[in-house]
Amino acid sequence: MATYRGRFAPSPTGPLHAGSLVAALASWLDARAHGGIWLVRMEDVDTPRCVPGMGAHILWQLAACGLVSDEPVVQQSSRGALYQASLDQLIAQGNAYPCGCSRRDIEAALQAAGVTRERHHAAVYPGTCRPERGGLQGKPPRAWRFAIEPHRALVHWSDTRLGPQTQNVATEVGDFILRRADGLWAYQLAVVVDDADQGITHIVRGEDLADNTPRQLLLQQALGRPEPNYRHTPLVLGDNGEKLSKQNGAQPFDADHPLAALQQAAQALGLPPAPGSGVSEALRYWVSAWSA
């Protein structure tokens, strides 16, 4: 078995665009440069937002660019039993607790405490339902949250590209959701369980996900799972200077002209233009450039 196992995990809520192709190419190149295995996992745990048939369309887009999973594609939506087992473990350890707060409750609690929330930033959960603060206090449980231990709140890690990083998860995020009020599994728990189950050793993804890493490290520690190596790639920005994404109208890349799309993605990664006119030749060139 290869010691390097990487993955690309798109969400089938829409087709891949230029920004997501950058992440896909980077993770594929890193795996190939290290002689490793590259996997594709469909993060379709948020089933109401997923578009029927979109997973197959994304795989077609990737295949057009020569990026094909080395093992069968995993669907998060079929892995609920694994997530439940991990949640049960966290509950038994005292690392998870039920929460009865709505978003309105959280905003009201923050306002009462004189805390203002920055624009575009999620509210920091104030710990209203923590067991030591009285728990649910008669409210029906809505969600499950991870209980951040004070002595573990300040997380340090090193990113292969960004260097040393630090985040105080307690003050910048608060006790985060593991299972949502609508019964769906939260991204943070699902991704940690899946990465461990698939033996992922290296995670290469967009820089916008870098601030998720501390939460995932805390979960890995609590569940006794290994910590992968992290590398966060540059973001592709739209005309407004914000991250290019499905939410701000990013258009799918032209999979009928995959080499042109790959050349743009490689440029965003700081790689030189590939010579020749074929996808396979370009990918081989970039693997050499990546590992140089």
Side-chain angles (χ1 to χ4, degrees), residues 112-167:
V115 177
T116 57
R117 178 161 62 92
E118 293 183 44
R119 188 168 176 262
H120 300 313
H121 283 69
V124 175
Y125 183 66
T128 307
C129 294
R130 286 183 70 99
E132 64 268 28
R133 296 182 61 177
L136 294 170
Q137 300 186 51
K139 293 182 292 187
R142 293 171 50 86
W144 284 89
R145 291 185 180 273
F146 182 76
I148 299 172
E149 299 174 85
H151 66 286
R152 296 184 183 273
L154 188 62
V155 178
H156 303 273
W157 79 103
S158 183
D159 184 272
T160 303
R161 172 176 164 264
L162 300 176
Q165 304 289 307
T166 302
Q167 184 187 86

Side-chain angles (χ1 to χ4, degrees), residues 51-76:
V51 179
M54 188 54 66
H57 181 77
I58 288 173
L59 295 178
W60 169 79
Q61 288 181 290
L62 291 171
C65 295
L67 310 178
V68 179
S69 182
D70 293 320
E71 294 180 4
V73 175
V74 165
Q75 310 282 338
Q76 275 190 334

Side-chain angles (χ1 to χ4, degrees), residues 7 27 31 43 65 112 167 177 180 197 206 225 281 292:
R7 50 81 166 168
S27 62
E43 294 194 336
C65 295
Q167 184 187 86
I177 294 287
R180 295 171 13 180
D197 183 66
R225 309 296 169 87
E281 182 181 1

Side-chain angles (χ1 to χ4, degrees), residues 182-195:
D182 57 10
L184 296 178
W185 295 102
Y187 166 76
Q188 305 296 348
L189 178 64
V191 73
V192 165
V193 172
D194 289 338
D195 285 340

